């Protein structure tokens, strides 16, 4: 596991769980989906019971644990929105953390659904950043990279299937891995309005976790074949345009300043992109 806190004034806001500066393709990212990677109930019944107090409606999202170098395997479990609200987004979220340095052990009582984000670069080298709507649940009004999270239903998961059929397990893991890459393309298309055919296949560059609420996000780099001047008009017709109020099309040198207005996990996304660009220059 590659681990760091980043640098500069934002080092307290995020932790890089995994950094892949050279970028990883689809074939280099695999998944191990298992109930053994699900969150564990907190042994204190009062703390565990607080999930019901703060819980909301139920959907499903994967949790994450990461290891890796030039080829990685992400260990994913299953959670739901109510548990996410009741653990990571609870007013007492820190009570769900263990006072240990190991990331997996520290967060084993939290839901921690794995979000996704994309650093999208236009053909004329501008970066696409969104200003979030004030009606969204998390970080309203903040700047973010386009993204969200993949739903288990996208690959037909409604719960764990306990089987000794290795072919079934292998195929399911492959579907989940593919959905990580397909899902972020879908998010960019829906939030920015650009056509899917204008986007390169995503490159996996790492996983950032914000310190507040220990929310992890996997980040990808995507090249867009469109000119920056053509994208603003497409954004006005984006399917999920209601989630944001403004599309910021900015040169790379402004991205560091913009990161100061981002949630910690997205500040980490900028740090991963910065590592990628520095690695490319050093080659």
């Amino acid at each position: 596991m590659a681990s760091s806190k980043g640098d500069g004034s934002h080092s307290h806001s995020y932790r890089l769980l995994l950094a892949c500066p050279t970028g990883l393709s689809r074939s280099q990212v695999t998944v191990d989906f298992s109930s053994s990677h699900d969150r564990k109930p907190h042994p204190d019944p009062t703390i565990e019971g607080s999930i019901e107090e703060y819980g909301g409606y139920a959907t499903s999202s994967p949790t994450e644990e990461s290891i890796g170098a030039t080829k990685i395997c992400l260990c994913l479990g299953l959670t739901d929105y109510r548990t996410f609200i009741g653990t990571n987004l609870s007013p007492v979220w820190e009570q769900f953390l263990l006072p240990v340095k190991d990331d997996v052990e520290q967060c084993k009582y939290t839901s921690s659904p794995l979000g996704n984000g994309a650093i999208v670069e236009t053909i004329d080298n501008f970066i696409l950043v969104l200003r979030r709507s004030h009606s969204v649940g998390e970080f309203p009004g903040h700047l973010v990279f386009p993204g969200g999270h993949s739903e288990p239903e996208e690959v037909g998961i409604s719960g764990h299937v306990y089987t000794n059929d290795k072919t079934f397990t292998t195929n399911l893991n492959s579907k989940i891995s593919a959905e990580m890459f397909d899902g972020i393309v879908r998010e960019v298309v829906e939030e920015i309005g650009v056509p899917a055919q204008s986007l390169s296949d995503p490159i996996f560059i790492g996983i950032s976790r914000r310190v507040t609420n220990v929310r992890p996000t996997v980040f990808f780099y995507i090249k867009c074949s469109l000119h920056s001047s053509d994208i603003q008009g497409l954004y006005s017709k984006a399917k999920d345009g209601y989630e944001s109020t403004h599309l910021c099309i900015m040169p790379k040198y402004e991205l560091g300043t913009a990161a100061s207005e981002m949630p910690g996990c997205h500040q980490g996304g900028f740090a991963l992109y910065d590592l990628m660009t520095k690695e490319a220059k050093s080659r």
Side-chain angles (χ1 to χ4, degrees):
M1 178 182 293
S3 177
S4 73
K5 287 190 176 181
D7 51 21
S9 61
H10 309 312
S11 60
H12 64 286
S13 301
Y14 66 87
R15 181 178 178 85
L16 299 187
L17 301 184
L18 177 64
C20 305
T22 58
L24 302 180
S25 64
R26 289 174 182 258
S27 63
Q28 294 172 290
V29 180
T30 58
V31 162
D32 176 21
F33 174 67
S34 169
S35 60
S36 64
H37 306 313
D38 289 358
R39 75 170 289 270
K40 305 300 186 288
H42 198 286
D44 185 328
T46 302
I47 295 176
E48 184 67 14
S50 71
I51 294 175
E52 299 297 329
E53 179 179 353
Y54 298 111
Y57 60 90
T59 60
S60 295
S61 303
T63 61
E64 92 41 64
E65 165 190 334
S66 61
I67 60 175
T70 57
K71 190 170 185 178
I72 65 166
C73 178
L74 301 181
C75 300
L76 303 181
L78 194 65
T79 188
D80 59 75
Y81 193 75
R82 179 186 64 84
T83 308
F84 173 50
I85 293 291
T87 57
N88 294 77
L89 297 188
S90 166
V92 297
W93 65 271
E94 290 176 291
Q95 294 185 21
F96 286 91
L97 303 182
L98 287 177
V100 297
K101 292 184 177 180
D102 180 78
D103 293 294
V104 177
E105 188 68 13
Q106 181 189 45
C107 301
K108 70 178 183 179
Y109 299 134
T110 63
S111 170
S112 301
L114 182 60
N116 58 22
I119 288 81
V120 182
E121 184 174 347
T122 66
I123 197 166
D124 51 341
N125 302 316
F126 283 78
I127 305 297
L128 307 182
V129 177
L130 294 166
R131 174 76 68 181
R132 283 174 67 78
S133 166
H134 285 279
S135 63
V136 296
E138 290 186 81
F139 292 94
H142 282 63
L143 291 177
V144 293
F145 296 111
H149 65 266
S150 292
E151 295 285 356
E153 288 83 356
E154 294 289 345
V155 290
I157 295 175
S158 58
H160 287 293
V161 176
Y162 299 94
T163 176
N164 293 322
D165 187 340
K166 292 184 178 180
T167 299
F168 174 87
T169 301
T170 298
N171 290 340
L172 180 58
N173 286 338
S174 296
K175 287 181 180 179
I176 297 172
S177 179
E179 169 56 24
M180 291 182 65
F181 286 78
D182 295 340
I184 189 58
V185 170
R186 191 166 56 248
E187 293 284 358
V188 172
V189 170
E190 293 176 353
E191 294 188 1
I192 304 294
V194 296
Q197 58 267 30
S198 71
L199 302 174
S200 69
D201 204 43
I203 298 297
F204 180 103
I205 60 173
I207 299 176
S208 168
R209 188 184 71 198
R210 69 174 182 245
V211 171
T212 302
N213 307 126
V214 291
R215 175 71 189 270
T217 302
V218 56
F219 280 92
F220 299 86
Y221 171 75
I222 299 176
K223 190 73 176 181
C224 179
S225 63
L226 299 178
H227 194 279
S228 57
S229 61
D230 298 326
I231 293 178
Q232 196 70 54
L234 296 172
Y235 168 70
S236 65
K237 301 175 183 178
K239 176 182 176 182
D240 288 348
Y242 64 91
E243 295 182 0
S244 60
T245 60
H246 185 65
L247 173 64
C248 305
I249 302 175
M250 59 183 60
K252 295 179 183 180
Y253 66 81
E254 291 184 2
L255 199 54
T257 301
S260 65
E261 295 188 55
M262 293 181 176
C265 47
H266 283 248
Q267 291 176 13
F270 165 70
L272 291 168
Y273 172 69
D274 191 45
L275 288 171
M276 185 196 79
T277 55
K278 288 177 179 176
E279 173 67 23
K281 289 179 180 178
S282 69
R283 285 186 238 164

